[in-house]
Amino acid sequence: MKKLHTTHCTLLTSVFSLLTSLICLLALASCTQFFQDKVAKTDGLPGTNLDDLVSEKTEITQLDAPLEVNVSTAVSPDCNFITWSAVSNAVYYRIERAVVKTANADGTFSAPDDADYEVLSKFVYGTSYTDEILTAPTYKNEEYGWGYFYRVSAENPRQKYDASEYKVSSAATLFAPVTTVTASQGEDSAYIMVNWQKTGNASAYKIYRSQYADGSGSSLLATVTGNQNWYKNEVDTAAQGIEFYYSVYAVNSQNYTAPVSPVALGYSLVEGAPGRVKNVKVTTGRGETIDKISISWDAVSGSNVKYVVYRTSSIDSATTKLSAKDYSATTFTDTKNLQANVYYYYQIMAYTYDEDGTSQLKGPISESSSIDKNPCEGYLLSPPVSLSVVYTADGSNCVLTFPAGLGSSEYPKDSGLSTDYNSYSYKVYTCDTQAGTFADSGSVFEDSSLVAKDGYYSVTVPPAKFYKISTYRTDIPLESALSAVSAPAPKAATSLAATERAFIDGVTVSGKENASGVYPVKVTWTAPAGGADGGYYLYRSTKKDSGFRKVQDDPISADVTEYIDAYDSAKPGTVYYYRILSLNELKQGANYSNVDSGYGALTHDQYMREYNKTIKSSHKKLTLMHKAGSTDKLGSETKEGTLSGSISYNAKIAGLGARIIMYYDTYADFYINNDESLGYYFCVTGNTNTTASMDASGTMDGTVTCTGMYPGTVVYDNIKIKGGAAGGGYYGITPEGFESQNVDWTVGEE
């Protein structure tokens, strides 16, 4: 018997028989698979995967995520290296990065939120990526203390596959340089001891020496193994008293060298040098000045004694020489490049000249550094180092959170080298514009009235657009400079809603659909009270509570409360979840809107294709239509849907032809996204009937009503049968909310 063209129509074949000696003819009804004698019997196929029942070969709808994403840990001093496992059918990969700037107490980094990730590249065609963090790295770069997280998604829009879920890496780190180096200064005449703080992953250290304060012209003294953090530089008599400057390079087993460390001054003791300077102390400059620090020390006995003043700091162990040549006073005021929120440490070296008056005889340096028992520690009156602002729960006020000022007993990064603490007040300033003149708001808070949590205070103030804060001493009186500007994160946008298979005027029109036949989704929301001056970031995910990625790189304008998401990779049958983040002018946000789901409408042609997956699946459950003998196809049977309802089949002789009735009663085989909680994909009720004559030509009739993800109707009255196969005509497709449209009988058979 002739094999018919497989069609998306639901009916093509049944059987009638002429009782003659030569001919037994069958007229057809229902599906062309009646005549596919080699089709195996498929009674009651299990499973609910949409594509398993449509074809023998599993069809891909979403790519798998990479199995692993590996990142470098302290390998390169300027780059992170990321590699991942290849994903079958992926064309390229999307990689994003999030930076965590504060490590946990144990040195690890907590995983960032979805909103912290920024796109590095949307098109990586291999399975590796090099992320350049620093172009000119130095030991001063704060990036060495950060953790870098990466997430990778596999993509293939060419085949209309959904992008994979993200695979997230552990924290990557840069290979950090040595940041603290010290050298002994006049401790012994035979050697100079160099010490440094180890850095992670170092397999060796290279020690260099120069006679210049900037470290230029240095030469390699030695290389020591990574478990050693000291080097003894022996000096001969001729080198005694000469100032040397030491620097250290860290090297790892991957042959990367970190940037050079700060330079440390060292010298050996020479006979005839004066004694050690004692009682070095800050006289003015422990939070009672804003631009200078004054120190004093006891005079060293001897004739024609001179002094050199040196400074290091909590952010740079490099030694800075402050005093002019042949400085002879026992006091000094430092005004050189002083910064707020930095501890400064001072050491004094006494010297005289030899008998010829040409060579300096340097005494041992004072024991007043940050690692000595009596450090000479000073600092400027400084504003709180950070300031964050959020609205109160009812939105009527704002909560400011800031650390106690440097010099307070509650300062979270207190050096612990002194118990000479100050009691501060904190003054709040406000302004309506970011770059405007900030005015005293009248809100003042005293250390003594506040309770610190881990060194941070939280205070409630009237709402304002922008804030700064200062540290104030009422006993002098003196006020610090103002802190950096901060603004409250806007309140959450409300009533976010995404359309579901909706007709959108001017959007759901021919040419606006993507390659998968899916129209855009319209997302709307209500602006938060007080607005969102920085606009909005819109996020999309295929999951309700994770995996969100920014829909666009630049914020949506602050005066806009809707967005047309023409997502090129949107697929039929996929539900997308949306949320929006309100931003202030600093592009900061903390409050997300509600999450709502949405999905685009389908073109009429695509509607037929998606509907027909359920129809084709139902045919596989029938047995009579797949039997080899023509007359064996006659009869009746009923099969249940995998999830709901039933399909009834009845084929019989009618006059000189055949009549086949197929009736669907709330029949469903698939869940939306294979997720039971989302409901049925297509649930169909109605008839798909065929009437055929002796010459195997005829017509189809019937209407199927669809509910589920894409409600609508499919009408078969204009499908023609010629020569035992669908041979012309069209379906009448009417998705709910849309006008009816004719769809050619070949659609669905691609």
Side-chain angles (χ1 to χ4, degrees):
M1 183 173 288
K2 179 169 101 174
K3 181 178 179 182
L4 297 183
H5 174 16
T6 303
T7 81
H8 43 283
C9 70
T10 324
L11 319 168
L12 262 181
T13 323
S14 185
V15 186
F16 66 92
S17 175
L18 293 179
L19 301 177
T20 67
S21 60
L22 299 176
I23 302 174
C24 181
L25 297 175
L26 271 196
L28 317 154
S30 204
C31 178
T32 57
Q33 295 180 27
F34 280 121
F35 298 92
Q36 297 176 0
D37 296 340
K38 295 182 180 180
V39 176
K41 179 179 179 180
T42 54
D43 188 4
L45 288 176
T48 59
N49 185 287
L50 184 60
D51 294 324
D52 287 344
L53 298 179
V54 174
S55 61
E56 294 179 5
K57 185 178 180 181
T58 301
E59 187 176 315
I60 298 172
T61 58
Q62 182 181 29
L63 294 177
D64 294 329
L67 292 177
E68 57 185 3
V69 177
N70 299 310
V71 295
S72 56
T73 304
V75 172
S76 167
D78 51 19
C79 297
N80 289 326
F81 304 115
I82 307 95
T83 62
W84 54 89
S85 55
V87 175
S88 296
N89 298 298
V91 173
Y92 50 75
Y93 301 87
R94 175 189 180 105
I95 184 168
E96 299 181 353
R97 180 188 68 202
V99 180
V100 178
K101 296 184 178 181
T102 303
N104 300 319
D106 61 359
T108 62
F109 294 89
S110 298
D113 295 330
D114 286 340
D116 296 327
Y117 283 90
E118 299 289 342
V119 175
L120 289 179
S121 177
K122 296 179 180 179
F123 308 103
V124 180
Y125 287 90
T127 55
S128 64
Y129 186 84
T130 298
D131 182 22
E132 184 179 38
I133 304 298
L134 299 170
T135 55
T138 73
Y139 70 87
K140 295 182 179 181
N141 287 114
E142 60 182 349
E143 288 86 350
Y144 286 112
W146 297 354
Y148 303 85
F149 289 82
Y150 298 86
R151 64 181 189 180
V152 178
S153 171
E155 300 191 1
N156 184 352
R158 300 175 189 172
Q159 301 300 118
K160 303 180 183 179
Y161 299 150
D162 282 333
S164 76
E165 296 180 5
Y166 285 112
K167 181 68 175 180
V168 180
S169 74
S170 56
T173 54
L174 296 174
F175 180 39
V178 172
T179 57
T180 302
V181 181
T182 60
S184 59
Q185 297 162 327
E187 298 296 327
D188 195 280
S189 60
Y191 63 85
I192 300 170
M193 184 63 72
V194 183
N195 294 90
W196 59 89
Q197 187 175 23
K198 292 181 180 180
T199 188
N201 201 36
S203 60
Y205 297 98
K206 294 183 177 182
I207 301 91
Y208 284 77
R209 189 181 75 178
S210 170
Q211 292 191 42
Y212 300 97
D214 62 0
S216 61
S218 63
S219 58
L220 178 65
L221 289 180
T223 300
V224 301
T225 60
N227 61 352
Q228 185 173 324
N229 69 333
W230 57 270
Y231 176 72
K232 191 174 185 179
N233 180 207
E234 296 182 354
V235 296
D236 55 25
T237 302
Q240 289 178 351
I242 296 176
E243 290 186 353
F244 293 110
Y245 295 87
Y246 296 88
S247 55
V248 179
Y249 289 87
V251 181
N252 61 28
S253 59
Q254 292 84 7
N255 293 320
Y256 284 93
T257 300
V260 65
S261 71
V263 175
L265 168 66
Y267 58 89
S268 60
L269 187 64
V270 63
E271 185 177 354
R276 190 188 305 273
V277 175
K278 296 181 180 181
N279 197 28
V280 183
K281 61 184 178 180
V282 172
T283 55
T284 306
R286 284 189 60 82
E288 68 267 43
T289 59
I290 58 173
D291 56 5
K292 61 186 177 182
I293 298 174
S294 298
I295 61 174
S296 67
W297 57 92
D298 293 345
V300 175
S301 60
S303 60
N304 198 28
V305 175
K306 310 297 182 182
Y307 301 97
V308 180
V309 181
Y310 294 103
R311 185 186 77 193
T312 59
S313 75
S314 58
I315 60 172
D316 193 343
S317 67
T319 303
T320 300
K321 183 178 179 180
L322 298 176
S323 56
K325 184 178 179 180
D326 292 343
Y327 189 79
S328 58
T330 56
T331 61
F332 184 83
T333 297
D334 178 19
T335 60
K336 185 176 181 178
N337 300 325
L338 295 172
Q339 301 177 39
N341 288 302
V342 176
Y343 286 112
Y344 291 98
Y345 300 95
Y346 298 88
Q347 291 179 276
I348 314 298
M349 183 262 288
Y351 68 92
T352 59
Y353 287 97
D354 61 10
E355 293 180 356
D356 296 333
T358 56
S359 298
Q360 289 182 346
L361 305 179
K362 301 180 180 67
I365 202 162
S366 65
E367 295 178 325
S368 54
S369 73
S370 61
I371 61 174
D372 292 321
K373 291 182 179 180
N374 297 297
C376 180
E377 180 186 73
Y379 52 87
L380 303 180
L381 181 64
S382 306
V385 70
S386 64
L387 177 65
S388 64
V389 189
V390 296
Y391 282 106
T392 56
D394 62 5
S396 60
N397 289 300
C398 285
V399 176
L400 276 58
T401 300
F402 55 92
L406 188 154
S408 167
S409 60
E410 296 291 352
Y411 180 60
K413 294 184 178 181
D414 180 37
S415 68
L417 300 180
S418 172
T419 57
D420 177 22
Y421 294 117
N422 299 316
S423 181
Y424 297 132
S425 295
Y426 304 95
K427 298 176 70 173
V428 177
Y429 289 77
T430 60
C431 189
D432 289 334
T433 60
Q434 180 181 347
T437 300
F438 281 74
D440 188 342
S441 70
S443 296
V444 180
F445 303 91
E446 296 183 0
D447 259 336
S448 58
S449 66
L450 299 173
V451 177
K453 182 178 180 180
D454 298 325
Y456 284 78
Y457 297 131
S458 291
V459 299
T460 301
V461 296
K465 282 283 189 181
F466 297 95
Y467 294 88
K468 290 185 178 183
I469 194 168
S470 71
T471 305
Y472 184 72
R473 288 190 63 168
T474 57
D475 56 334
I476 299 180
L478 186 69
E479 186 174 8
S480 74
L482 299 184
S483 69
V485 64
S486 185
K491 300 170 187 176
T494 58
S495 305
L496 181 138
T499 56
E500 296 183 343
R501 43 89 186 164
F503 176 83
I504 306 170
D505 191 32
V507 174
T508 317
V509 295
S510 179
K512 294 294 183 71
E513 73 275 11
N514 66 15
S516 297
V518 180
Y519 287 111
V521 174
K522 183 176 182 179
V523 183
T524 59
W525 60 91
T526 300
D533 294 338
Y536 306 91
Y537 281 135
L538 181 65
Y539 293 84
R540 180 201 317 113
S541 177
T542 56
K543 294 183 177 181
K544 188 175 184 178
D545 53 6
S546 64
F548 284 92
R549 64 173 70 180
K550 282 181 186 176
V551 170
Q552 78 293 0
D553 294 331
D554 297 321
I556 299 169
S557 177
D559 58 357
V560 173
T561 56
E562 66 178 41
Y563 185 85
I564 300 298
D565 184 24
Y567 182 30
D568 289 342
S569 297
K571 303 296 185 297
T574 300
V575 175
Y576 297 95
Y577 295 91
Y578 295 88
R579 68 179 183 182
I580 201 160
L581 180 66
S582 307
L583 305 173
N584 60 27
E585 283 189 31
L586 304 177
K587 298 298 182 286
Q588 300 166 335
N591 301 309
Y592 288 97
S593 69
N594 60 296
V595 174
D596 193 45
S597 61
Y599 52 92
L602 304 179
T603 64
H604 289 70
D605 280 13
Q606 193 63 41
Y607 188 100
M608 182 61 208
R609 295 185 183 100
E610 299 306 312
Y611 155 81
N612 203 41
K613 292 176 182 178
T614 294
I615 300 305
K616 286 183 175 181
S617 173
S618 72
H619 292 167
K620 291 190 175 185
K621 295 177 183 289
L622 297 172
T623 58
L624 291 176
M625 64 185 291
H626 299 298
K627 289 189 175 182
S630 298
T631 57
D632 293 337
K633 300 178 186 291
L634 298 175
S636 301
E637 63 177 323
T638 298
K639 297 295 182 181
E640 293 183 354
T642 303
L643 305 179
S644 169
S646 61
I647 176 176
S648 298
Y649 166 92
N650 182 277
K652 62 183 179 179
I653 301 300
L656 296 181
R659 175 69 173 168
I660 299 173
I661 303 295
M662 273 196 187
Y663 176 69
Y664 292 88
D665 183 7
T666 61
Y667 181 94
D669 273 346
F670 313 114
Y671 289 123
I672 301 169
N673 280 7
N674 295 327
D675 185 345
E676 182 177 358
S677 67
L678 297 177
Y680 299 146
Y681 188 46
F682 274 86
C683 183
V684 298
T685 298
N687 286 87
T688 60
N689 307 323
T690 301
T691 300
S693 61
M694 281 181 58
D695 61 356
S697 62
T699 61
M700 294 188 67
D701 62 88
T703 298
V704 176
T705 299
C706 305
T707 58
M709 188 172 185
Y710 301 104
T713 59
V714 179
V715 177
Y716 286 79
D717 293 353
N718 293 288
I719 294 293
K720 307 297 183 184
I721 297 173
K722 295 180 181 179
Y730 55 85
Y731 299 97
I733 305 295
T734 311
E736 187 177 274
F738 291 75
E739 293 182 355
S740 180
Q741 186 171 309
N742 298 333
V743 172
D744 190 84
W745 65 276
T746 59
V747 173
E749 299 308 319
E750 297 89 345

